[in-house]
Amino acid sequence: MPKGTRADRIDAEKYLIEQIKNDKNMPPLAKAAAVSQIRKILKEYTVQNDIVNLTIEQLGKDSNPSGIKDEWIMDFFDKCKDSEESVKSIWASILLKECNDNGSVPKRLLNMLSCITQKEAMAFNNLCRFCVTINNEKLLWVKLRDFGGQVDHFYEDNGLNFMDVDLLRSIGLIMVRKSGQYGFKNSGDVTIKIVDFEMRVLGTNDGIPIGNLIFTDEGQILADLLQFESVKGFAEYVKWYLESAYFKVEILKNIKI
């Protein structure tokens, strides 16, 4: 795995450029091309090194980096080498997951992340603020329409740009249902958690409508890795929605809404 600090990169760049300049047999055009290539390689190497260091900081006793297949790790480093600063932590989370659970991260997700922009990463992180955990499963709770079929302004009022929703759909992180809603199927009661708020929904044999958006498999892996803050008033909104849909909601003890 990559090693070294930014200072090491600067020293290496100076050293290699000096070697090229002093090569009397190399034509000027070849020297210019070689210097440009060296700077590109060292920049990529530094990005890889930053990601590795972020991962190492989080490795636990049960982590197994040596269990990662060579083909996967080579593909990983190739895909992450041009990452923007804001996406490095995402790459580190992906590498950490693979260290902790060898074979759990599909190559398709690596391909998607290699193309993701800062705008797309911020849009995905913002969308995840509208997640709930139902029976320990993280799910989106986004209602594009209210009971009367009108636009539900709770989401727009809290920074969810529906152009971003379409953007995230186009890159394969979510699926959108334009009519009807996706549902969480369950027999009996379910527990819904939103950060420090927790409630039990009683008698859900017919399922709970969770909204118009769901994660794809790749989006689900990514969402499970991210840490994010919930939207202010989101817990109250979910409770109101369930009660408006005639579900019986029980607030669990010692949890304040």
Side-chain angles (χ1 to χ4, degrees):
M1 290 189 175
K3 289 179 169 53
T5 64
R6 289 187 179 275
D8 294 329
R9 171 193 161 186
I10 294 172
D11 289 343
E13 186 176 298
K14 288 180 179 179
Y15 173 80
L16 292 172
I17 291 175
E18 194 64 29
Q19 297 299 308
I20 292 170
K21 287 181 178 179
N22 294 333
D23 188 342
K24 297 179 180 180
N25 297 319
M26 185 179 288
L29 185 60
K31 288 184 177 182
V35 167
S36 177
Q37 185 66 10
I38 282 172
R39 285 176 172 156
K40 179 177 183 295
I41 291 172
L42 289 176
K43 181 180 179 181
E44 292 172 349
Y45 190 86
T46 302
V47 170
Q48 294 168 335
N49 177 65
D50 290 345
I51 292 169
V52 168
N53 286 334
L54 286 171
T55 305
I56 290 174
E57 292 173 1
Q58 304 173 72
L59 287 177
K61 294 181 180 179
D62 296 328
S63 299
N64 184 28
S66 61
I68 301 176
K69 292 184 178 180
D70 291 343
E71 183 182 357
W72 189 94
I73 200 69
M74 290 173 65
D75 197 31
F76 175 85
F77 282 129
D78 180 61
K79 295 295 191 297
C80 75
K81 63 187 179 183
D82 294 317
S83 302
E84 298 179 7
E85 190 69 30
S86 60
V87 188
K88 287 180 183 178
S89 60
I90 297 178
W91 281 109
S93 296
I94 291 292
L95 181 55
L96 179 64
K97 179 173 176 58
E98 189 66 17
C99 289
N100 292 337
D101 186 10
N102 301 155
S104 62
V105 179
K107 286 189 176 182
R108 174 174 164 77
L109 181 55
L110 302 183
N111 293 334
M112 292 169 66
L113 282 178
S114 68
C115 302
I116 200 168
T117 64
Q118 182 174 355
K119 179 182 178 181
E120 292 164 346
M122 291 176 64
F124 186 74
N125 189 71
N126 184 48
L127 180 64
C128 287
R129 296 166 65 227
F130 298 93
C131 276
V132 300
T133 301
I134 304 180
N135 288 7
N136 297 317
E137 183 178 351
K138 186 180 290 184
L139 301 167
L140 283 169
W141 186 286
V142 178
K143 314 282 185 176
L144 300 180
R145 304 281 175 178
D146 63 19
F147 294 111
Q150 302 299 312
V151 173
D152 193 325
H153 292 289
F154 174 82
Y155 298 95
E156 287 185 319
D157 292 344
N158 285 282
L160 183 58
N161 184 324
F162 290 103
M163 292 181 64
D164 289 343
V165 168
D166 193 55
L167 177 64
L168 296 173
R169 179 201 57 77
S170 69
I171 63 176
L173 290 175
I174 61 173
M175 292 188 290
V176 180
R177 191 168 183 172
K178 294 184 178 180
S179 61
Q181 295 191 38
Y182 294 105
F184 180 84
K185 301 298 183 182
N186 186 75
S187 178
D189 303 342
V190 300
T191 300
I192 298 181
K193 296 180 181 178
I194 304 172
V195 190
D196 58 352
F197 171 72
E198 188 173 344
M199 60 185 160
R200 181 180 293 116
V201 186
L202 307 177
T204 62
N205 293 335
D206 294 330
I208 296 177
I210 60 174
N212 308 95
L213 312 181
I214 60 171
F215 292 118
T216 60
D217 291 343
E218 292 76 20
Q220 188 70 60
I221 292 173
L222 196 55
D224 289 340
L225 294 173
L226 294 178
Q227 299 293 325
F228 48 84
E229 294 182 1
S230 183
V231 174
K232 184 177 180 181
F234 186 45
E236 291 90 337
Y237 170 81
V238 172
K239 178 177 178 291
W240 166 84
Y241 185 93
L242 288 167
E243 291 176 337
S244 299
Y246 303 105
F247 286 98
K248 186 175 181 181
V249 179
E250 178 184 276
I251 307 302
L252 299 185
K253 295 180 180 179
N254 302 321
I255 302 293
K256 293 183 179 180
I257 187 168

